[in-house]
Amino acid sequence: MSTSNGSAKGTGNATVRKSPAKRATSTAKSAQSKATAAASEAETAARDAEESASTAVRSAGEATKTAGRAVASGLQTGQQMVTANAAKAATAATAAWTVVKNRKVIAAGAAAGIVGVAGAAFAVGRSTAKPPLGPLTRLVGGRI
């Protein structure tokens, strides 16, 4: 009979077991190789993350520059539009003030124009209402 205390007896079909110290050493070596592999992978991942972060920072910097240019361009365009609109508003206000200031003169001129148009229309209408006369009849006033 054999006892299971980690040592092998000298019987014919007994299995040879490693001593606890050897098992601990092989386990430590295995753990060390796994830890080294994990550390190597972690180092590679850290390098990749660092490169990715620096690329992201560069991209963000470029995007910020582009956005800054767009904002500056928008501000300049807005400033030009405000200036142009202010000039248009000033012109319109000046014209409106001129109309208000000279409203009596404008009204008198409009009335004179209407009277002139009506008189011209009356004269044209009267001349077309007469029967056509010859030159001699016109000369004597229609008596012949």
Side-chain angles (χ1 to χ4, degrees):
M1 255 188 156
S2 66
T3 60
S4 62
N5 62 359
S7 62
K9 286 193 172 183
T11 59
N13 48 359
T15 58
V16 178
R17 293 191 184 180
K18 292 182 180 178
S19 69
K22 285 184 181 180
R23 271 188 291 173
T25 304
S26 79
T27 304
K29 284 181 184 178
S30 173
Q32 182 182 8
S33 68
K34 288 180 183 178
T36 304
S40 173
E41 289 177 12
E43 183 180 354
T44 304
R47 249 186 273 125
D48 291 344
E50 180 183 356
E51 290 174 11
S52 176
S54 76
T55 303
V57 167
R58 273 182 275 161
S59 297
E62 291 172 9
T64 303
K65 286 179 188 176
T66 304
R69 282 189 225 119
V71 167
S73 174
L75 286 174
Q76 185 177 12
T77 303
Q79 193 175 29
Q80 290 170 352
M81 289 178 71
V82 166
T83 304
N85 287 339
K88 288 178 186 176
T91 303
T94 303
W97 179 248
T98 303
V99 168
V100 169
K101 189 168 70 172
N102 299 319
R103 67 185 181 277
K104 291 179 183 177
V105 174
I106 292 171
I114 290 173
V115 168
V117 168
F122 180 76
V124 168
R126 289 288 294 162
S127 68
T128 58
K130 293 180 184 178
L133 301 174
L136 188 58
T137 307
R138 271 183 286 174
L139 185 63
V140 291
R143 292 190 182 132
I144 298 180

CSV table of all heavy atoms in Angstrom, one decimal, residues 14 18 27 58 66 75 78 98 104 125 136:
chain,number,residue,atom,x,y,z
A,14,ALA,N,4.8,2.2,-9.0
A,14,ALA,CA,4.5,3.4,-8.4
A,14,ALA,C,4.9,4.6,-9.3
A,14,ALA,O,5.9,4.5,-10.1
A,14,ALA,CB,5.3,3.6,-7.1
A,18,LYS,N,6.9,14.9,-8.5
A,18,LYS,CA,7.9,16.0,-8.3
A,18,LYS,C,7.8,16.4,-6.8
A,18,LYS,O,6.7,16.4,-6.2
A,18,LYS,CB,7.6,17.2,-9.2
A,18,LYS,CG,7.9,16.9,-10.6
A,18,LYS,CD,7.6,18.2,-11.4
A,18,LYS,CE,7.9,18.1,-12.8
A,18,LYS,NZ,7.6,19.2,-13.6
A,27,THR,N,5.9,26.2,-11.4
A,27,THR,CA,4.7,27.0,-11.3
A,27,THR,C,5.2,28.5,-11.4
A,27,THR,O,4.6,29.3,-12.1
A,27,THR,CB,3.9,26.8,-10.1
A,27,THR,OG1,3.5,25.4,-10.1
A,27,THR,CG2,2.6,27.6,-10.1
A,58,ARG,N,-3.7,65.6,-32.3
A,58,ARG,CA,-3.4,66.3,-33.5
A,58,ARG,C,-4.7,66.6,-34.3
A,58,ARG,O,-4.9,67.7,-34.8
A,58,ARG,CB,-2.4,65.5,-34.4
A,58,ARG,CG,-1.0,65.8,-34.0
A,58,ARG,CD,0.0,65.1,-34.9
A,58,ARG,NE,0.1,63.8,-34.2
A,58,ARG,CZ,0.5,62.7,-34.7
A,58,ARG,NH1,0.9,62.6,-35.9
A,58,ARG,NH2,0.6,61.5,-34.0
A,66,THR,N,-9.5,74.6,-37.9
A,66,THR,CA,-10.5,74.7,-38.9
A,66,THR,C,-11.7,75.4,-38.4
A,66,THR,O,-12.3,76.3,-39.1
A,66,THR,CB,-10.9,73.3,-39.5
A,66,THR,OG1,-9.7,72.7,-39.9
A,66,THR,CG2,-11.9,73.4,-40.6
A,75,LEU,N,-17.5,85.6,-38.8
A,75,LEU,CA,-17.6,86.9,-38.2
A,75,LEU,C,-17.3,88.0,-39.2
A,75,LEU,O,-18.0,89.1,-39.2
A,75,LEU,CB,-16.6,87.0,-37.0
A,75,LEU,CG,-16.9,86.2,-35.7
A,75,LEU,CD1,-15.8,86.3,-34.8
A,75,LEU,CD2,-18.2,86.8,-35.1
A,78,GLY,N,-20.3,88.3,-41.4
A,78,GLY,CA,-21.4,89.0,-40.6
A,78,GLY,C,-21.2,90.5,-40.4
A,78,GLY,O,-22.1,91.3,-40.6
A,98,THR,N,-36.5,112.7,-46.2
A,98,THR,CA,-36.6,113.7,-47.3
A,98,THR,C,-38.1,113.8,-47.7
A,98,THR,O,-38.6,114.9,-47.9
A,98,THR,CB,-35.7,113.4,-48.5
A,98,THR,OG1,-34.4,113.3,-48.0
A,98,THR,CG2,-35.8,114.4,-49.6
A,104,LYS,N,-45.2,118.6,-48.4
A,104,LYS,CA,-46.1,119.6,-49.0
A,104,LYS,C,-45.7,119.9,-50.5
A,104,LYS,O,-46.6,120.0,-51.4
A,104,LYS,CB,-46.1,120.9,-48.2
A,104,LYS,CG,-46.7,120.8,-46.9
A,104,LYS,CD,-46.6,122.1,-46.1
A,104,LYS,CE,-47.2,121.9,-44.7
A,104,LYS,NZ,-47.0,123.1,-43.9
A,125,GLY,N,-58.8,114.5,-76.3
A,125,GLY,CA,-60.2,114.1,-76.5
A,125,GLY,C,-61.0,115.0,-77.3
A,125,GLY,O,-61.8,114.7,-78.2
A,136,LEU,N,-58.7,124.8,-95.9
A,136,LEU,CA,-59.4,126.1,-96.2
A,136,LEU,C,-60.5,126.4,-95.1
A,136,LEU,O,-60.6,127.5,-94.6
A,136,LEU,CB,-60.0,126.1,-97.6
A,136,LEU,CG,-60.5,127.4,-98.1
A,136,LEU,CD1,-59.5,128.5,-98.1
A,136,LEU,CD2,-61.1,127.2,-99.5
